[in-house]
Amino acid sequence: MSGRNFRQYVNYHRIQYALGLMRQDPRLKVSEVAEMSGFHSVVSFNMAFKLNMGQTPSDWLRDYVASRML
Protein backbone atom coordinates (compact mmCIF):
# COMPACT_ATOMS: atom_id res chain seq x y z
CA MET A 1 0.00 0.00 0.00
CA SER A 2 2.87 2.40 0.70
CA GLY A 3 4.77 1.57 -2.49
CA ARG A 4 7.76 0.47 -0.40
CA ASN A 5 9.08 -2.92 0.55
CA PHE A 6 9.41 -3.75 4.24
CA ARG A 7 13.01 -2.56 4.59
CA GLN A 8 12.25 0.74 2.82
CA TYR A 9 9.18 1.22 5.02
CA VAL A 10 11.14 0.67 8.22
CA ASN A 11 14.00 2.89 7.06
CA TYR A 12 11.55 5.65 6.16
CA HIS A 13 10.31 5.71 9.74
CA ARG A 14 13.85 5.55 11.09
CA ILE A 15 14.74 8.58 8.97
CA GLN A 16 11.68 10.45 10.25
CA TYR A 17 12.84 9.71 13.79
CA ALA A 18 16.37 10.87 12.87
CA LEU A 19 14.97 14.15 11.55
CA GLY A 20 13.30 14.73 14.89
CA LEU A 21 16.55 14.04 16.73
CA MET A 22 18.48 16.47 14.53
CA ARG A 23 15.83 19.14 14.96
CA GLN A 24 15.95 18.72 18.75
CA ASP A 25 19.75 18.85 18.95
CA PRO A 26 21.59 19.97 15.81
CA ARG A 27 24.90 19.42 17.63
CA LEU A 28 24.53 15.62 17.48
CA LYS A 29 27.02 13.86 15.23
CA VAL A 30 25.66 11.99 12.22
CA SER A 31 27.06 8.75 13.66
CA GLU A 32 25.16 9.34 16.91
CA VAL A 33 21.90 10.03 15.07
CA ALA A 34 22.41 6.93 12.93
CA GLU A 35 22.90 4.72 15.97
CA MET A 36 20.02 6.28 17.89
CA SER A 37 17.76 5.74 14.87
CA GLY A 38 18.47 2.03 14.67
CA PHE A 39 21.00 1.90 11.84
CA HIS A 40 23.98 -0.44 12.19
CA SER A 41 26.32 1.71 10.12
CA VAL A 42 26.69 5.32 9.08
CA VAL A 43 26.93 4.21 5.45
CA SER A 44 23.50 2.55 5.52
CA PHE A 45 22.08 5.58 7.34
CA ASN A 46 23.50 7.94 4.72
CA MET A 47 22.12 5.84 1.85
CA ALA A 48 18.64 5.58 3.42
CA PHE A 49 18.65 9.28 4.30
CA LYS A 50 19.59 10.33 0.78
CA LEU A 51 16.99 7.98 -0.72
CA ASN A 52 14.24 9.48 1.45
CA MET A 53 15.32 13.12 1.70
CA GLY A 54 17.24 13.68 -1.54
CA GLN A 55 20.37 14.89 0.23
CA THR A 56 22.91 13.68 2.75
CA PRO A 57 22.28 14.08 6.49
CA SER A 58 25.07 16.64 6.83
CA ASP A 59 23.72 18.69 3.90
CA TRP A 60 20.20 18.55 5.33
CA LEU A 61 21.45 19.61 8.75
CA ARG A 62 23.48 22.50 7.30
CA ASP A 63 20.40 23.74 5.40
CA TYR A 64 18.20 23.30 8.47
CA VAL A 65 20.55 25.28 10.72
CA ALA A 66 20.92 28.01 8.08
CA SER A 67 17.14 28.32 7.71
CA ARG A 68 16.77 28.78 11.48
CA MET A 69 19.29 31.63 11.43
CA LEU A 70 17.20 33.72 9.03
Side-chain angles (χ1 to χ4, degrees):
M1 296 190 108
S2 70
R4 297 179 170 102
N5 65 33
F6 181 73
R7 180 167 296 187
Q8 292 168 336
Y9 180 79
V10 170
N11 283 345
Y12 169 79
H13 287 285
R14 287 179 176 161
I15 295 302
Q16 296 305 307
Y17 181 75
L19 290 170
L21 291 173
M22 291 190 290
R23 285 181 181 117
Q24 278 183 335
D25 188 357
R27 296 169 294 166
L28 288 171
K29 294 178 184 177
V30 171
S31 59
E32 293 172 323
V33 174
E35 185 178 335
M36 293 168 69
S37 302
F39 287 90
H40 294 291
S41 74
V42 175
V43 173
S44 62
F45 175 67
N46 284 341
M47 290 186 339
F49 196 97
K50 190 161 186 173
L51 179 69
N52 282 280
M53 301 303 297
Q55 61 188 122
T56 65
S58 54
D59 288 344
W60 182 90
L61 188 57
R62 183 191 64 237
D63 293 347
Y64 175 73
V65 170
S67 72
R68 293 195 57 192
M69 301 300 273
L70 298 177

